[in-house]
Amino acid sequence: MLSVKHLKKKFGKNTVLKDISFDVSVGDIIAIVGPSGSGKSTLMKLCARFYDPDKGVILLGNKNF
């Protein structure tokens, strides 16, 4: 299971993500949709650990990933 809890990410003065939370269980399929500049790519880069969140946690199998 992937659990994202209260993620926040800023770049400079711009808050890109604010209080994002969701869970994805094995076998689940999710879609991340939104307009250009809404933070979709940043969210996925945080989940892939290309970036570290400013706040919040990302858990993979109940381990801080």
Side-chain angles (χ1 to χ4, degrees), residues 13-65:
K13 294 183 180 182
N14 296 325
T15 300
V16 179
L17 299 173
K18 182 178 177 183
D19 198 30
I20 303 296
S21 298
F22 62 89
D23 295 317
V24 181
S25 296
V26 174
D28 283 354
I29 297 171
I30 66 167
I32 307 296
V33 297
S36 179
S38 63
K40 301 177 300 290
S41 295
T42 300
L43 175 59
M44 291 301 101
K45 288 177 183 178
L46 284 165
C47 289
R49 302 307 286 185
F50 289 123
Y51 301 143
D52 290 325
D54 295 331
K55 288 188 179 180
V57 294
I58 300 168
L59 302 171
L60 184 60
N62 295 324
K63 294 182 183 177
N64 197 348
F65 170 64

